[in-house]
Amino acid sequence: MFAVMKTGGKQYRVQSGDVLRVEKLAADAGEMIQFNEVLMVGSTVGAPMIAGAGVQAEVIDQIKGPKTINFVKRRRKHSSKRTKGHRQKLTLVRIKDILEKGADKSGVKAAIGAGSVPYVATPVVEAAPAEKKPSAKKASAKPAAAKKSAAAKKPATAKKPAAAKVSAEKPAAKTAAAKKPVAKKPAAKKPAADKE
């Protein structure tokens, strides 16, 4: 019997005893895991998944794939080149068993990608509104407002020296000169040359 399962964004056709290289899973070597996203088992096709089906596998090792080279060259007038290498992290698994039903109750750890967080539905519970104590909040808010107003009353001359005012005036003079319209001279017409 064979099954078509999905993991790491890819689909695999597997049988008992197959060894696969899949995207990295959060599991140690020797550990049993179960793939719960099964699209097809034998002649049974899911819509899109088969409820209660699973593929159990044993993790053999965590490995790295072959090195891929990414070379970028900008042509013609740009003389820039960039070379980057990458080795994808993979997990070797050996398929042990294919379950058509009852995979939910098997007790085997679900196969989860190394970088993903499993989705767990949490029930929404509405809590009763808590009693408000306005007197405590107002009392704590008044001293903070008093501190802000005391900081605002400080003289502004202590913050900046007089030299800063002079430098602030210079750019204003430049912008005023830049705003003056430039008079355009009319282009003089050249007499047509005699052709001989």
Side-chain angles (χ1 to χ4, degrees):
M1 181 189 333
F2 73 93
V4 177
M5 64 174 204
K6 178 181 172 185
T7 179
K10 300 172 187 68
Q11 297 175 8
Y12 300 92
R13 182 184 187 274
V14 295
Q15 291 180 337
S16 183
D18 287 352
V19 176
L20 296 175
R21 292 187 324 168
V22 297
E23 296 289 325
K24 185 174 180 179
L25 301 172
D28 297 327
E31 198 172 343
M32 285 292 291
I33 57 172
Q34 178 172 298
F35 298 99
N36 294 322
E37 293 182 346
V38 179
L39 304 165
M40 182 176 177
V41 176
S43 61
T44 308
V45 179
M49 308 290 174
I50 299 176
V55 175
Q56 293 182 353
E58 178 188 1
V59 177
I60 299 171
D61 196 11
Q62 300 284 355
I63 62 170
K64 285 187 177 181
K67 187 169 190 174
T68 56
I69 304 294
N70 181 11
F71 178 72
V72 178
K73 179 181 178 184
R74 295 179 67 199
R75 295 174 54 201
R76 296 186 184 91
K77 294 183 181 180
H78 310 286
S79 63
S80 75
K81 298 176 187 176
R82 182 178 66 227
T83 303
K84 288 195 303 185
H86 174 70
R87 294 187 70 186
Q88 184 67 34
K89 293 182 179 179
L90 303 170
T91 302
L92 275 178
V93 294
R94 179 176 287 119
I95 305 300
K96 291 289 185 183
D97 194 16
I98 297 172
L99 304 173
E100 288 188 56
K101 296 179 183 176
D104 311 344
K105 302 171 185 175
S106 66
V108 179
K109 176 182 170 182
I112 300 171
S116 64
V117 178
Y119 173 75
V120 178
T122 55
V124 178
V125 179
E126 292 184 22
E131 294 182 19
K132 295 182 180 180
K133 296 182 180 179
S135 59
K137 289 183 180 179
K138 288 181 182 177
S140 63
K142 287 182 181 178
K147 290 179 184 178
K148 288 180 183 177
S149 62
K153 292 179 183 178
K154 289 184 180 180
T157 56
K159 291 182 181 178
K160 294 182 180 179
K165 292 181 182 178
V166 174
S167 64
E169 293 173 6
K170 288 182 181 179
K174 288 181 183 178
T175 56
K179 291 182 181 177
K180 289 182 183 177
V182 178
K184 293 184 178 180
K185 295 181 183 178
K189 294 184 180 180
K190 296 182 180 179
D194 294 330
K195 293 183 181 179
E196 291 181 11

